[in-house]
Amino acid sequence: MTATPATVFEGALLVTQDDRRRVFRGSLRVDGGAITEVGETVDRAGAETVDASAFAIVPGFVNTHQHVAMSLLRGIADDRDLGAFLEVLFAVDARRTEADLEAGAAAGIAEMLLSGTTTFLDLYYGEDAIARAVERLGIRGYLGWAVLDPAMTTQTGVPVENARQFIHRWAGHPRVHPLVAPQGVYVCGAETWLKAREVAEAEKTLVHYHLSETRREVHEHEAKYGDRPPIWLDKIGFLGPDQIAAHGVWLTRREIELLANHHVGIAHCPNSNLKLATGGVCPVTELRAAGAVVGLGTDSTASNNSLSMLREMHIAGLLQKHQRWDAAALPASTLLDMATIDGARMLGRGSDLGSLEPGKRADFSMFRLDHPTLLPARPEAIVSHIAYAASEEAVDSVYVDGECVVRHRVLQREPWEPIRRSAESAADALWPR
Ligand SMILES: [Zn+2]
């Protein structure tokens, strides 16, 4: 499916996200799924040419925190805090089937592709169903099997062993990257955290988890164990590289240093935090200053309620500026970095994803320069437009490994209508009557 002929995209406005963050009119050559040349002119020999002069080409977005199968649950638990939200969600979770997980994942993946996301990091159980949806639609999925203490789970068997078997089933797949995902300190004791780390080390995968999302989580943990979650995770010997923590809302200066020193990546999820009235704000500026890599995540459609990284960049910028009384906090260029190259670095893919450079995989989107939300379509403003203004409708075509997965807003692997119908009927069975 990934073997495509050489293609030259000519005359585009290239938002490269390379080391110099160059933005210029030029061409991009793709051979065998990889970008082989980027420049004002490129070698056209043996290649199909695409007139890209009406488009900005932008690296595919990397969504670093997600529960994509929850797409069937958008709007089911609005306007309540995390505790009340989870009560509704847990009740529904207990009734989910493999078929409805896949139907929800396919719908969510379609939404992501149609808004320019080419890679996502997921945390859920039953990830085989989500992996199948990834395979069907051609996105790149980092899929974390949710791990809890055996006493806390509805999974059959021991969750951490289920995660290990899931990793074995999908290891080596070109687009599905399995990993282990301890859900959070409120459902995982020390033994579970350490076993998850052990599995990740043995299988050479990432570890993904929720961390310090709410004050309640932090205070309850401190009351129970005498330490706030990051300090405790360090003391038990869990923290380390190749880990991605979602949220990181309630962090002290000491915890920021600790996470940065352990090279833990942070998935900032501002829409979800704001909607669930988390109260605090992820200290993105301090984390970056300490050397931590910070990406953006949408979290699920039940708490956001969108999977658009365009909305995530926009709100992430506004939130930091407003909270810090500093209009220069998180400028547009940093927001786009977080959505592209920094997300790729968090997944250990900084060398082959996240920018338009020779040698990288050809994962990118073509934004229509004639869309009203990109006016005026000037090179010096395009990064600002993408971070603050662009509508999802401006995303015309999307490529993963050089394969066109969305063309003129139409999914290429499967039509949307059957995906929509099966998601609607799966939702009918899940929602309370
Ligand atoms: Zn989450």
Side-chain angles (χ1 to χ4, degrees):
M1 253 10 234
T2 55
T4 43
T7 309
V8 169
F9 297 84
E10 282 197 319
L13 182 57
L14 299 172
V15 181
T16 64
Q17 290 298 91
D18 66 6
D19 288 348
R20 289 182 286 151
R21 301 297 188 266
R22 287 181 304 154
V23 175
F24 65 98
R25 278 278 174 188
S27 300
L28 183 81
R29 184 181 169 112
V30 175
D31 286 274
I35 296 168
T36 49
E37 234 187 309
V38 181
E40 283 177 17
T41 55
V42 302
D43 179 14
R44 299 167 68 176
E48 285 176 8
T49 55
V50 173
D51 176 7
S53 56
F55 301 95
I57 298 188
V58 179
F61 299 136
V62 180
N63 184 341
T64 58
H65 183 62
Q66 248 282 32
H67 313 276
V68 70
M70 289 171 70
S71 286
L72 306 178
L73 307 177
R74 183 182 348 241
I76 203 171
D78 286 343
D79 308 327
R80 58 194 92 193
D81 69 12
L82 185 70
F85 169 85
L86 288 177
E87 255 175 58
V88 176
L89 269 296
F90 286 156
V92 177
D93 270 354
R95 292 190 280 120
R96 298 208 66 171
T97 65
E98 283 272 311
D100 75 52
L101 291 173
E102 185 172 337
I109 289 167
E111 184 183 350
M112 282 195 280
L113 288 172
L114 288 163
S115 52
T117 294
T118 52
T119 299
F120 74 106
L121 173 57
D122 199 66
L123 188 163
Y124 219 58
Y125 55 91
E127 286 280 351
D128 292 280
I130 297 147
R132 287 194 292 276
V134 166
E135 250 190 340
R136 281 168 46 195
L137 292 168
I139 200 167
R140 224 180 268 290
Y142 278 77
L143 308 182
W145 188 286
V147 161
L148 306 72
D149 288 347
M152 304 292 287
T153 187
T154 52
Q155 291 179 38
T156 319
V158 179
V160 75
E161 288 308 319
N162 295 343
R164 191 198 303 271
Q165 284 156 24
F166 168 67
I167 292 167
H168 287 170
R169 284 195 291 278
W170 292 88
H173 192 283
R175 303 232 180 133
V176 175
H177 303 276
L179 57 122
V180 55
Q183 194 166 321
V185 292
Y186 36 90
V187 284
C188 300
E191 197 185 338
T192 298
W193 285 99
L194 294 177
K195 274 195 178 150
R197 185 184 160 127
E198 210 178 284
V199 168
E201 276 178 357
E203 310 297 338
K204 299 189 170 46
T205 72
L206 301 167
V207 190
H208 183 37
Y209 47 90
H210 292 114
L211 182 70
S212 300
E213 179 176 1
T214 63
R215 268 195 309 191
R216 183 174 163 192
E217 167 194 338
V218 172
H219 292 163
E220 286 183 357
H221 194 78
E222 200 173 17
K224 198 166 161 192
Y225 295 100
D227 284 307
R228 294 162 63 94
I231 307 289
W232 179 79
L233 287 171
D234 184 41
K235 279 190 181 167
I236 65 168
F238 172 78
L239 291 185
D242 305 316
Q243 297 184 2
I244 295 155
H247 301 299
V249 171
W250 295 98
L251 298 175
T252 64
R253 288 202 170 266
R254 185 178 160 210
E255 291 163 358
I256 289 165
E257 290 295 327
L258 192 63
L259 293 169
N261 292 344
H262 279 290
H263 307 288
V264 175
I266 308 294
H268 175 39
C269 307
N271 270 295
S272 175
N273 296 156
L274 284 162
K275 183 160 176 280
L276 293 169
T278 304
V281 176
C282 174
V284 176
T285 305
E286 286 77 8
L287 282 161
R288 286 173 53 87
V293 182
V294 185
L296 289 172
T298 57
D299 215 346
S300 81
T301 52
S303 66
N304 183 311
N305 293 356
S306 160
L307 301 181
S308 169
M309 289 289 283
L310 294 166
R311 287 172 48 134
E312 218 56 45
M313 277 187 274
H314 180 204
I315 209 74
L318 267 52
L319 179 58
Q320 295 288 323
K321 292 172 201 308
H322 180 78
Q323 191 232 3
R324 311 171 76 89
W325 295 62
D326 177 7
L330 279 204
S333 59
T334 305
L335 294 165
L336 186 59
D337 285 357
M338 291 166 73
T340 57
I341 186 68
D342 290 348
R345 288 168 64 206
M346 280 169 65
L347 298 174
R349 298 294 295 271
S351 64
D352 76 337
L353 295 177
S355 62
L356 308 178
E357 290 178 276
K360 292 212 170 184
R361 304 307 300 165
D363 288 15
F364 57 81
S365 301
M366 296 173 71
F367 281 71
R368 285 177 55 160
L369 289 170
D370 65 350
H371 194 273
T373 58
L374 265 65
L375 183 106
R378 302 180 60 80
E380 63 269 41
I382 190 71
V383 170
S384 162
H385 294 349
I386 292 166
Y388 296 132
S391 148
E392 294 74 30
E393 299 291 320
V395 176
D396 180 82
S397 298
V398 181
Y399 290 76
V400 177
D401 279 331
E403 176 197 349
C404 186
V405 290
V406 174
R407 188 188 303 277
H408 306 321
R409 298 209 56 69
V410 176
L411 295 170
Q412 295 297 292
R413 289 265 192 110
E414 290 181 22
W416 164 244
E417 188 50 26
I419 295 172
R420 185 192 69 76
R421 275 200 306 268
S422 76
E424 289 287 4
S425 68
D428 286 345
L430 276 181
W431 279 58
R433 277 153 215 272

